[in-house]
Amino acid sequence: MTPADRAAERFREVHGHVPVGVWSAPGRVNLIGEHTDYNDGFVLPFALPHRVAVAASPRTDGRIAAITVGDDGIPQRAEPVPVAALTPGRVTGWSAYVYGVAWSLRDAGFPVSANLLITGDIPTGAGLSSSHALQCAVALALLGLSDITPIPDPLPTASPLPLPAPALSPHGTPLASTAPGTGTGAPPSPPAPSPPSTATTTTPGGTTPGGTTPGGTTPGGTTPGGTTPGGTTPGGTTPGGTTPGGTTPGGAALAAAAAGGGGVTARFGGGGEGGGGRPSLEQVARWVQRSENDFVGAPTGLLDQTASLRCVAGHALFLDVRSGAAEHIPFDAPVLVIDTRVRHSLADSAYGDRRQGCERAAALLGVGSLREVGTGVDLGGLPEDLRPLVRHVVTENERVLATVAALRAGTDIGPLLAASHASLRDDYRVSCRELDIAVEAAVGAGALGARMTGGGFGGSAIAVVPPAVDDAVRDAVRAAFADRSLTAPRLFAAAPSPGAGRDR
Ligand code: GAF
């Protein structure tokens, strides 16, 4: 039975009538582009087949009520709350993820009084974005009860994404661009299937509201719905010939990435109201982000909500967080997900510390975000603790672009995944022993590439595993954990799956 079927059935049992509708949203893995989203950079996630489903009907008493049904089948009820009384801090635990979305949508002008029943099958606390799937499914359900269906990304209009950012002098002064396609610009206007020019990209930052809101709870243990919601990396990471000169982030890499075609591009302005007042999926992602940042208190970026809402089956989503422009890149490599079972929490201070470090570094470099820093920049003027953070973000953005180029060219992305993991482990320091063991064992047994995925500090790794070595890789990973007396990891294959939507 799918999560949507289960949600509908349990809703009827609990409320004595069928729900008006059922909406669901997937978890995600990020192929590459980690900790770049809150730096206005690039990401490349795809949606998992695992989903959170929300069965919903409107209420007439101005309250919102939520029930989750986990693996044990026992409903957990959150206290119904008057919508008008929703305010940050009023609710904690798993229900904050639900009521926070209602709060955000209420402030955006939507009626949100409803009964919600939530269930799902995304492993929680595994870095697979179960909490974002929950929030996205709730958002679509609450909008759907008002007959509002967000405008999907237009398909297909092939056009390249903008890339570019000014290189900086050692002291943070923007230098003149040295490669075509660099500049400060705004996203080029729609469909022009040609390589990026010197278009300017001023679209203000991906709009992370409330970035550093501290505190809050995490969706770990109290799983809404289901199985669980809950230095050196050096240059060698830019694959051959894609990056010129080194003073600009990816002029040619972007050109290569962007000019390839074959994908499907959706382009929006920074905001996202569509025609007739229908919100875009990009706008819904921002409402969900506001809920998570300011109601739940986790200072996350836009990667996960956007992946859950905007991914499509068979594709990875190449997203420029700064402009909101996205392109669906065909992706069919066999990916093995390795959940280390080390739980992580995005509301823990380590995530916020990294984010604050990036913001401090950007301020010291005199830029709005690290997206604007070029690969050739001398970081010697920065405090020592900030240099590796910047190095990771700058090289990771390059690697996303190079990965897109490699996917289009049909070449190996393994070295890029390896370099990403090394950078996250050594420079950004968000990996952990179990993730490193998983990555090393997978690659040692024949995976083409592997890396941690998501925020880190536990959670999951991914490996690209050709069918011929699938058994060997699984055996090697299990053995590596068993040999060290670690809890057995959960392993499953994942193909790019559909994004969020209405099920019935
Ligand atoms: C978590 C966050 F929620 C994302 O916004 C992103 O920063 C990611 O960690 C790291 O890339 O999933």
Side-chain angles (χ1 to χ4, degrees), residues 28 30 33-38 43 127 129 132 292 300-305 344 346 351 454-456:
R28 62 96 191 93
N30 193 18
E34 223 63 84
H35 291 276
T36 48
D37 61 346
Y38 51 82
V43 295
S129 211
H132 298 95
E292 180 157 44
T300 50
L302 263 172
L303 161 66
D304 300 330
Q305 308 84 339
H344 84 145
L346 294 173
Y351 181 92

Side-chain angles (χ1 to χ4, degrees), residues 94 308 403 411 448:
W94 67 265
S308 189
T403 301
T411 56
L448 297 178

Side-chain angles (χ1 to χ4, degrees), residues 52-145:
V52 170
V54 176
S57 283
R59 290 173 68 117
T60 53
D61 64 355
R63 291 171 185 257
I64 181 160
I67 296 174
T68 71
V69 179
D71 280 348
D72 57 7
I74 300 170
Q76 287 185 49
R77 292 164 194 271
E79 184 201 347
V81 175
V83 168
L86 287 171
T87 183
R90 166 92 161 72
V91 190
T92 56
W94 67 265
S95 56
Y97 288 84
V98 180
Y99 293 165
V101 173
W103 165 80
S104 181
L105 292 179
R106 179 203 69 189
D107 284 1
F110 298 100
V112 293
S113 178
N115 282 321
L116 307 175
L117 190 136
I118 300 157
T119 190
D121 61 4
I122 306 172
T124 51
L128 301 175
S129 211
S130 58
S131 59
H132 298 95
L134 166 65
Q135 294 170 92
C136 291
V138 167
L140 292 193
L142 292 175
L143 292 169
L145 290 180

Side-chain angles (χ1 to χ4, degrees), residues 299-325:
T300 50
L302 263 172
L303 161 66
D304 300 330
Q305 308 84 339
T306 306
S308 189
L309 290 164
R310 293 176 68 182
C311 279
V312 299
H315 294 74
L317 182 78
F318 176 30
L319 174 71
D320 177 347
V321 175
R322 180 166 67 180
S323 68

Side-chain angles (χ1 to χ4, degrees), residues 322-348:
R322 180 166 67 180
S323 68
E327 179 172 357
H328 299 284
I329 307 290
F331 181 72
D332 61 4
V335 170
L336 179 69
V337 178
I338 305 165
D339 171 10
T340 63
R341 309 244 188 195
V342 178
R343 301 295 87 164
H344 84 145
S345 162
L346 294 173
D348 284 350

